[in-house]
Each structure stands twice: as structure tokens, then as C-alpha cells.
């Protein structure tokens, strides 16, 4: 069970996993790459698996057939996207609700390889050259690049894109552009990005994956959330039929200009991709059982344990499968909004955390399938464990007195519970913390010295959260917190999250295994605390946290990055900015048996709609051809 968002912007901005295979080519870190030499790929620490002349990524399937429709329920989404409704086709602004996978309609300068931790290879850019001062990146563009109306994609479109996104883009796109000084067309097929000198070495890795917008289209159409006109793109898909809030179909572009480039060959097999929108999970599951939807990732543990007992699965037409998760950090947590004064006291946040009995919840609601999470960097080498190493202490010591003393001891873990559902010891500790913080009980509710009650409203967007998390709310009420849970519709929920209008809210997301500094800032940095639309839901403001993020951005080796992020992890956990929830090692998938796919999935991203294909023989065998 999760309320899933994606910080890492997988198609455009994702970082990737933690370990580098021994077969990768050795190369200097990005900061040591040669200048004035055309490069066909970039990587944070220089490792590139693929050499010039490669024909396709190993996880691609050039032999697979094209055709069929992929009807699915997305398991991740970006920016202002929603899986419950949509009222705009502009996915790159803060306002409105856009449909997932709009990103498939747009190309970018470079694209990620999903079997490498952080490598990028040219798409619209044939090559990139770094200037001697390392502040400018010069791109040679492919002259064959085209928009869907067959108009040329030129450097003027790129310059327009970066300027527009810097001014009006979604905060997740806009904020990383703060260090960009210029985006300049130097002819139709030459383009330059110049930084102001304050950027970290890896800033370029995010920016080259931005969607390229058409200057002609957005000169005639407003770049805002009012748009239900299909935008002009240049990617492998374009918007087909749709009914706002009900369904959208993306049509594969038959004459896609980049279909045979090595970075695309063997990908994007489906002729159509269809997403239907359901107001609640039960309706979506019923549509899947009937075959109106044919692929889903299951995030509700009760449904996974008990719901897959219907004719199509019993006779083998539907497959239920688990596949390993990616080699990247995974985070699922609650945030108490420190923009509200009553949650600024760390003792209040600790008290709320003590009210959650994971052991009882996992047994009674989750069928024991989850493990308790301890860290925003769960499942990665960046997660701190035990006491700090000498190198970690060297980074932490300058902040002694500014950060909780617990950051210098064993890594802070969530409180253990006895599994009773109402652990008396934990609730007593929570009450004592609230007493210390000045919230005294009047026998019914806790009040501060001014007589104001300690209220907490937890906002959710699906009935399943009400059922599963009401015991958590009831425990808060037992210790005198006037706690409640409110179910909102999709638009209300998205608007309140984007504007930080909540007391408590949940978030699930994935950082990259080579986390981008801008991604870290989105979550933890003081700058993002005051910027609507970021994922700094708690409103974390800490000079120490900001400095550790900067140190991580300056890391010249992966080992240095690990040390910096472990130090950051210790501080964030000691501050109790997030109440960690739980995680699972695998994807839980269910799908009608009409697909072909490679058994070995890439380690760092799993875009099924890009990798799998329609198998007509299988479909005919189960009556769905």
C-alpha cells in the first residue's frame, strides 16, 4: 500500500542505482572528462558501459514485433500528473492534473541507459563538448530531428525550451535551472548551455534530459494548465483519442525520426498505450479483473494476498508475478508540516511517531509482506548504519550544536512496538514528550500555554488509507492529540500537497542511486521549503542539511558520495523530519497473459510500457486477440 510520487522524474531526470558492474569501461569522473573533445555519452563518475558504435541497449528487444495496445494502470508518475483524473495536457507546469506518460511525447538532448547507474547517451544531441572552464556544454544536434508535424527540431526550440521552463516550468524543472546562465542557439544544429559557475559538476546530467518543446506551438498556445490541446512533440508517441478525466490513448509515431537510433532500437513496441482513470482503487481493480485493464502493479497488500481469486487468474489467463525491485533508494514516509508552528518542536514529531505500531499494522493489514523502513535512502549503500565512520564524523563535526546530538551516535531508527496496536510504553513516552514540549492534557485534549488545542489533520486521497491508518490516528487521540483523517478528491489533494496546505501527509518516491543534487534539494533543502510543488513536505530548513547536500554535489568519487549521503541521512533521521513507513523488495505484478518480455529486466528502471510487447499468439490463446 502506498501513495506514490516520483521525485526522480525517471524518464527525464532520473539518477540510477548504486553499484557499477565490473564490465563497465573505466573513465575519469565527470569533472575530469576532457574538454574540447566531442563526447557521445556522459556519466557522473565517468563509467560508460556502451561504446561508440553500439547498436542497442542490452535490455532492448530489436526482434520483438510492433503492434497491439498496452492498457495499464501506471505505477509511477511525475510533476503535476495524476492517475485519478486529468484536466490538462501540459505536464510541465505546477497547476492542474495531467495524465501520466505525457513525457513519452517529447524527446530530449540525451537519455538514460537503465542498466547503468547514471550514464546518458545522445538522442537529439549527436555529441557534447565541454568548454575549458567547464561552465559551458556545446551540443551538436542531429539534423534529422523532427517534430510530429515534420517540422525540424532546431537549436532555437531548445533555447526556447530552457528559457520557458526556467520562467514558468514546474518547480521540479524550474529550480535546477537556477544555475543556468544561458541557453543559446548557435545555428540550427548547434546549441550551448552555459552555467553561472556556482553549479556542481553533475548539474548537467539532469538538464540534458529535459523535454524539448516546440517554439512554434507554444508561441501560439499558452504554457499553462488550461491546455487540453494535444501539444506538438517529437517523441515516440503522440496524444491520440482522449476524454478528459476518463481515458487517454497515446499513439506510436509510425515514422518516428529516432526509431533506429541505438538508444531507441528495440524499445517502444506497442502501437497504442491506453490509461483509464479511476476515482478509487477498487474500481481500477474491478476493471482489471474484467480485462478492461490488462496490466497493473499491486500496491495494496490485502488485495495481493486475498483479492486475486477470480476466474481469469484461476484458469491461467492472468499471471501473478513478483520481480526484483531496482537497485536504488526507496522512501515511503509521513511528513508533519513544520511550516505550522506546533510541529516545529522535534518532541511533537517524535511523539506522533511513537503512536504508529508497524508490527501490528503489518500483521493485521499487510499480511506480513512489508519490512519497516528506517531511512530515506532505504535499500541503498547511502543508508547510514551503526555509529558514524571517521569520515562521516569529519563531515558532521562542524555542525555539532546545530544538529541533534543523536546524529553523532548510532543511526536513529523508528521506535519499536510490541505489536499490540496500542503499545502502552510507547504511548506513555509520547505523552511525556508532549508534556515537555508544553502541550498539557486537560483530560480530553492537549493544549499549549495559550489554550490552543494540539490538532492534526492527516490528508489522504484513497479510502484504503482511511481503513489502514485510522488505528494510527486513534493512538494519537489516546494521548490527547485532536487527530483526524480527511479523504480528498484527486484535484483537492494535489492542490493542497503542492501548496503545503496540510498538517500531515504521506509520500513515496525513489531517489537515484547516484542522487542528483537537485533531487536532494527537492526533498531536504531550505530553498525548497518555501517553493510550492517541491517534495520537501516537512518544510525542512537546516544549514547543516544544506551544506551536506552541497558536499554530496562536490563528490568526485562514488565512495565520497556514499560518505556524504550517509552523513546527510544521519542528520535527517535525527531531526525526525520524516516518519518512516515500510518497504518491499519486489514489484508485485499482475497482467493478462498477452505480453512478451525479456526475463532479465534492467537494474535501475522498469518502464514496462517501453520494454514489453504484445504477443498475438498468447492473446489468441486466451481469447483476447
Amino acid at each position: 500500500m502506498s501513495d506514490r510520487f516520483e521525485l526522480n522524474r525517471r524518464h527525464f531526470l532520473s539518477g540510477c542505482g548504486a553499484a557499477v558492474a565490473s564490465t563497465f569501461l573505466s573513465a575519469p569522473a565527470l569533472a575530469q572528462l576532457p574538454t574540447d573533445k566531442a563526447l557521445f555519452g556522459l556519466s557522473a563518475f565517468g563509467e560508460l558501459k556502451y561504446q561508440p558504435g553500439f547498436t542497442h541497449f542490452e535490455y532492448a528487444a530489436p526482434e520483438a514485433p510492433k503492434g497491439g495496445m498496452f492498457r495499464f494502470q501506471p505505477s509511477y508518475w511525475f510533476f503535476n500528473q495524476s492517475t485519478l483524473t486529468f484536466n490538462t495536457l501540459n505536464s510541465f507546469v505546477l497547476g492542474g492534473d495531467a495524465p501520466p506518460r505525457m513525457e513519452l511525447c517529447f524527446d530530449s538532448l540525451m537519455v538514460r541507459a537503465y542498466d547503468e547507474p547514471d550514464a546518458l547517451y545522445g538522442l537529439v544531441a549527436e555529441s557534447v563538448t565541454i568548454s575549458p572552464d567547464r561552465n559551458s556544454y556545446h551540443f551538436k544536434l542531429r539534423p534529422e530531428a523532427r517534430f510530429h508535424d515534420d517540422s525540424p527540431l532546431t537549436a532555437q526550440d531548445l533555447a526556447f525550451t530552457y528559457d520557458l521552463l526556467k520562467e514558468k516550468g514546474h518547480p521540479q524543472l524550474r529550480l535546477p535551472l537556477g544555475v543556468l546562465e544561458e541557453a543559446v542557439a548557435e545555428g540550427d544544429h548547434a546549441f550551448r548551455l552555459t552555467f553561472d559557475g556556482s553549479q556542481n559538476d553533475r548539474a548537467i546530467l539532469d538538464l540534458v534530459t529535459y523535454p524539448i518543446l516546440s517554439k512554434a506551438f507554444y508561441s501560439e498556445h499558452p504554457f499553462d494548465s488550461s491546455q487540453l490541446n494535444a501539444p506538438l512533440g517529437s517523441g515516440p508517441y503522440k496524444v491520440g483519442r482522449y476524454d478528459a478525466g476518463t481515458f487517454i490513448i497515446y499513439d506510436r509515431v509510425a515514422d518516428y525520426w529516432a526509431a533506429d537510433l541505438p538508444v531507441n532500437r528495440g524499445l517502444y513496441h506497442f502501437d497504442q498505450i491506453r490509461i483509464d482513470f479511476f476515482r478509487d482503487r477498487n474500481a481500477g481493480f474491478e476493471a482489471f479483473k474484467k480485462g478492461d485493464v490488462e496490466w497493473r502493479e499491486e500496491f495494496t497488500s490485502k488485495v495481493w494476498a486475498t483479492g486475486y481469486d477470480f476466474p481469469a487468474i484461476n484458469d491461467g489467463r492472468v499471471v501473478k508475478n513478483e520481480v526484483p525491485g531496482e537497485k536504488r533508494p526507496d522512501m515511503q514516509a509521513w511528513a508533519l508540516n513544520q511550516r505550522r508552528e506546533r510541529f516545529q518542536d522535534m518532541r511533537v514529531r517524535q511523539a506522533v511517531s511513537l503512536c504508529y505500531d508497524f508490527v501490528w499494522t503489518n500483521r493485521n493489514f499487510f499480511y506480513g509482506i512489508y519490512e519497516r523502513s528506517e531511512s530515506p535512502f532505504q535499500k541503498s549503500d547511502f543508508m547510514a548504519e551503526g555509529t558514524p565512520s571517521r569520515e562521516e564524523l569529519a563531515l558532521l563535526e562542524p555542525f555539532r550544536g546545530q544538529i541533534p546530538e543523536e546524529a553523532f551516535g548510532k543511526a536513529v531508527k523508528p521506535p519499536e512496538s510490541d505489536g499490540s496496536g496500542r503499545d502502552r510504553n510507547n504511548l506513555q513516552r509520547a505523552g511525556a514528550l508532549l508534556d515537555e514540549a508544553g502541550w498539557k492534557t486537560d483530560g480530553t485534549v492537549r493544549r499549549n500555554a495559550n489554550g490552543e488545542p494540539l490538532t492534526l489533520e492527516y490528508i489522504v486521497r484513497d479510502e484504503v488509507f482511511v481503513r489502514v491508518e485510522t488505528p494510527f490516528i486513534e493512538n494519537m487521540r489516546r494521548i490527547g492529540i485532536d487527530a483526524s483523517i480527511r479523504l480528498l478528491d484527486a484535484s483537492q489533494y494535489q492542490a493542497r500537497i503542492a501548496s503545503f496546505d496540510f498538517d500531515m501527509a504521506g509520500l513515496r518516491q525513489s531517489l537515484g542511486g547516484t542522487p542528483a543534487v537537485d533531487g536532494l534539494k527537492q526533498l531536504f533543502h531550505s530553498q525548497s521549503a518555501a517553493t510550492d510543488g517541491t517534495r520537501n513536505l516537512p518544510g525542512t530548513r537546516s544549514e547543516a542539511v544544506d551544506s551536506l547536500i552541497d558536499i554530496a554535489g562536490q563528490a568526485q568519487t562514488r565512495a565520497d558520495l556514499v560518505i556524504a549521503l550517509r552523513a546527510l541521512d544521519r542528520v535527517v533521521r535525527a531531526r525526525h523530519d520524516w516518519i518512516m513507513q515500510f518497504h518491499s523488495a519486489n514489484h508485485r505484478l499482475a497482467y493478462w497473459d498477452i505480453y512478451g518480455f525479456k526475463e532479465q529486466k534492467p537494474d535501475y528502471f522498469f518502464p514496462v510500457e517501453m520494454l514489453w510487447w504484445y504477443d498475438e499468439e498468447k492473446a489468441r490463446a486466451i481469447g483476447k486477440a
Side-chain angles (χ1 to χ4, degrees):
M1 187 202 76
S2 70
D3 199 359
R4 186 180 181 95
F5 292 90
E6 289 297 327
L7 172 65
N8 58 310
R9 297 153 282 176
R10 294 178 190 255
H11 183 65
F12 295 122
L13 309 178
S14 60
C16 296
V20 180
S22 60
T23 57
F24 290 179
L25 300 177
S26 60
L30 186 60
Q32 281 80 48
L33 285 175
T35 60
D36 295 327
K37 177 182 178 181
L39 305 171
F40 88 111
L42 296 173
S43 177
F45 298 109
E47 303 95 350
L48 290 175
K49 176 178 180 177
Y50 296 96
Q51 303 181 50
F54 79 99
T55 59
H56 62 275
F57 294 133
E58 287 183 3
Y59 52 81
E63 73 285 355
K66 305 291 186 184
M69 176 183 284
F70 187 55
R71 298 187 292 183
F72 80 126
Q73 295 175 336
S75 56
Y76 59 87
W77 50 95
F78 318 109
F79 312 124
N80 66 348
Q81 296 175 0
S82 171
T83 57
L84 303 182
T85 189
F86 73 96
N87 47 43
T88 180
L89 292 178
N90 190 345
S91 190
F92 309 123
V93 293
L94 178 59
D97 303 291
R101 301 305 178 269
M102 283 300 300
E103 64 275 4
L104 293 177
C105 301
F106 299 87
D107 282 324
S108 54
L109 281 167
M110 304 181 81
V111 294
R112 299 281 179 184
Y114 301 135
D115 55 351
E116 297 183 76
D118 51 36
L120 298 113
Y121 299 90
L123 177 55
V124 171
E126 183 176 323
S127 66
V128 55
T129 303
I130 306 172
S131 66
D133 65 3
R134 298 189 177 276
N135 285 330
S136 293
Y137 292 79
H138 298 262
F139 298 90
K140 179 183 178 182
L141 307 185
R142 299 184 193 274
E144 65 268 31
R146 290 288 186 273
F147 286 105
H148 295 150
D149 65 354
D150 204 35
S151 61
L153 189 164
T154 69
Q156 286 77 21
D157 294 295
L158 279 153
F160 172 82
T161 294
Y162 284 93
D163 288 343
L164 181 63
L165 293 175
K166 186 173 183 178
E167 178 186 0
K168 297 181 178 180
H170 190 282
Q172 293 180 23
L173 293 163
R174 189 177 72 246
L175 291 179
L177 292 170
V179 294
L180 185 67
E181 188 173 85
E182 284 187 313
V184 180
E186 299 179 322
D188 286 346
H189 305 122
F191 175 64
R192 170 170 55 86
L193 289 174
T194 297
F195 293 91
D196 62 13
S198 67
Q199 77 281 0
N200 71 80
D201 294 332
R202 300 192 296 278
I204 188 64
L205 300 182
D206 273 358
L207 270 57
V208 295
T209 60
Y210 274 34
I212 300 172
L213 309 177
S214 164
K215 180 178 180 180
F217 179 85
Y218 282 110
S219 295
E220 296 180 0
H221 299 84
F223 185 71
D224 59 29
S225 62
S226 68
Q227 291 303 293
L228 272 170
N229 296 314
L232 178 62
S234 61
Y237 287 89
K238 60 183 178 181
V239 174
R241 293 189 301 114
Y242 64 89
D243 182 8
T246 304
F247 76 91
I248 187 167
I249 295 174
Y250 298 100
D251 294 331
R252 186 169 60 83
V253 178
D255 57 350
Y256 175 40
W257 73 271
D260 289 326
L261 290 181
V263 295
N264 284 331
R265 189 175 295 125
L267 303 173
Y268 308 114
H269 306 289
F270 295 106
D271 279 348
Q272 294 182 309
I273 296 172
R274 174 171 177 141
I275 300 171
D276 290 277
F277 294 78
F278 303 97
R279 291 288 181 170
D280 63 69
R281 297 181 184 220
N282 288 336
F285 185 51
E286 290 303 315
F288 173 76
K289 292 197 298 186
K290 291 189 295 183
D292 294 337
V293 172
E294 293 166 335
W295 188 98
R296 62 184 270 123
E297 183 169 359
E298 185 58 68
F299 292 109
T300 304
S301 51
K302 180 181 180 181
V303 174
W304 185 253
T306 67
Y308 286 84
D309 183 16
F310 51 92
I313 199 163
N314 294 331
D315 63 23
R317 287 176 293 157
V318 168
V319 177
K320 186 182 178 188
N321 193 17
E322 293 194 33
V323 300
E326 285 67 68
K327 296 179 179 179
R328 55 194 307 150
D330 186 71
M331 173 181 170
Q332 183 162 319
W334 291 292
L336 289 170
N337 189 355
Q338 296 169 42
R339 300 168 188 84
R340 301 189 170 174
E341 186 176 356
R342 59 190 180 278
F343 302 122
Q344 291 174 6
D345 192 314
M346 189 170 70
R347 292 168 295 188
V348 173
R349 304 196 296 273
Q350 288 178 278
V352 172
S353 178
L354 283 159
C355 294
Y356 180 56
D357 190 332
F358 167 74
V359 176
W360 183 89
T361 303
N362 195 37
R363 183 177 67 244
N364 288 276
F365 285 118
F366 300 155
Y367 297 82
I369 67 175
Y370 287 114
E371 298 177 42
R372 185 71 192 266
S373 294
E374 299 176 359
S375 162
F377 299 97
Q378 195 73 40
K379 301 197 297 186
S380 80
D381 291 343
F382 308 122
M383 175 179 162
E385 297 189 71
T387 56
S389 67
R390 181 178 61 184
E391 293 82 3
E392 291 170 55
L393 281 174
L395 298 182
L396 294 171
E397 280 295 343
F399 307 110
R400 193 179 286 274
Q402 302 177 39
I403 58 178
E405 192 63 24
E406 289 81 359
F408 297 92
K410 289 185 177 180
V412 172
K413 295 184 177 183
E416 296 182 0
S417 61
D418 63 10
S420 66
R422 54 180 74 179
D423 187 312
R424 290 186 177 183
N425 289 334
N426 280 355
L427 296 181
Q428 287 174 358
R429 288 170 57 200
L433 285 167
L434 293 178
D435 285 338
E436 292 175 16
W439 294 96
K440 306 294 184 180
T441 181
D442 61 8
T444 304
V445 67
R446 290 184 178 270
R447 299 180 183 274
N448 63 15
N450 297 323
E452 298 166 331
L454 179 54
T455 59
L456 184 154
E457 181 187 70
Y458 171 39
I459 63 170
V460 298
R461 65 188 195 103
D462 195 292
E463 182 66 36
V464 68
F465 299 108
V466 177
R467 178 178 62 87
V468 171
E469 288 157 9
T470 291
F472 183 21
I473 299 298
E474 290 175 346
N475 275 342
M476 293 187 218
R477 297 184 68 86
R478 287 188 178 97
I479 62 170
I481 300 174
D482 183 9
S484 61
I485 188 167
R486 173 170 293 190
L487 177 63
L488 302 173
D489 67 35
S491 295
Q492 286 179 312
Y493 183 86
Q494 183 129 322
R496 289 186 61 175
I497 290 291
S499 61
F500 306 122
D501 182 16
F502 60 87
D503 293 340
M504 187 172 91
L507 176 71
R508 182 176 180 184
Q509 61 188 34
S510 175
L511 278 170
T514 305
V517 171
D518 291 310
L520 296 170
K521 287 182 176 180
Q522 289 277 333
L523 262 180
F524 306 122
H525 200 279
S526 301
Q527 178 187 15
S528 63
T531 305
D532 286 358
T534 70
R535 293 297 180 231
N536 188 348
L537 300 192
T540 300
R541 294 177 183 268
S542 165
E543 290 184 9
V545 168
D546 298 349
S547 296
L548 288 169
I549 291 173
D550 289 341
I551 291 169
Q554 296 163 10
Q556 294 299 302
T557 68
R558 196 172 297 278
D560 288 342
L561 181 64
V562 168
I563 292 167
L565 292 185
R566 286 179 180 174
L568 174 65
D569 186 34
R570 291 181 186 280
V571 175
V572 171
R573 289 159 68 177
R575 285 175 49 87
H576 297 275
D577 285 334
W578 298 89
I579 300 172
M580 304 309 301
Q581 296 182 25
F582 38 81
H583 64 276
S584 175
N586 298 322
H587 293 286
R588 296 188 293 270
L589 307 181
Y591 48 89
W592 288 74
D593 192 14
I594 60 174
Y595 302 117
F597 51 87
K598 283 192 168 184
E599 290 293 334
Q600 184 66 38
K601 60 180 279 293
D603 284 336
Y604 305 111
F605 185 31
F606 187 39
V608 176
E609 64 277 15
M610 182 191 300
L611 302 173
W612 289 20
W613 59 88
Y614 175 73
D615 187 318
E616 186 174 1
E617 185 176 342
K618 284 185 175 181
R620 188 178 299 110
I622 65 170
K624 287 186 73 70

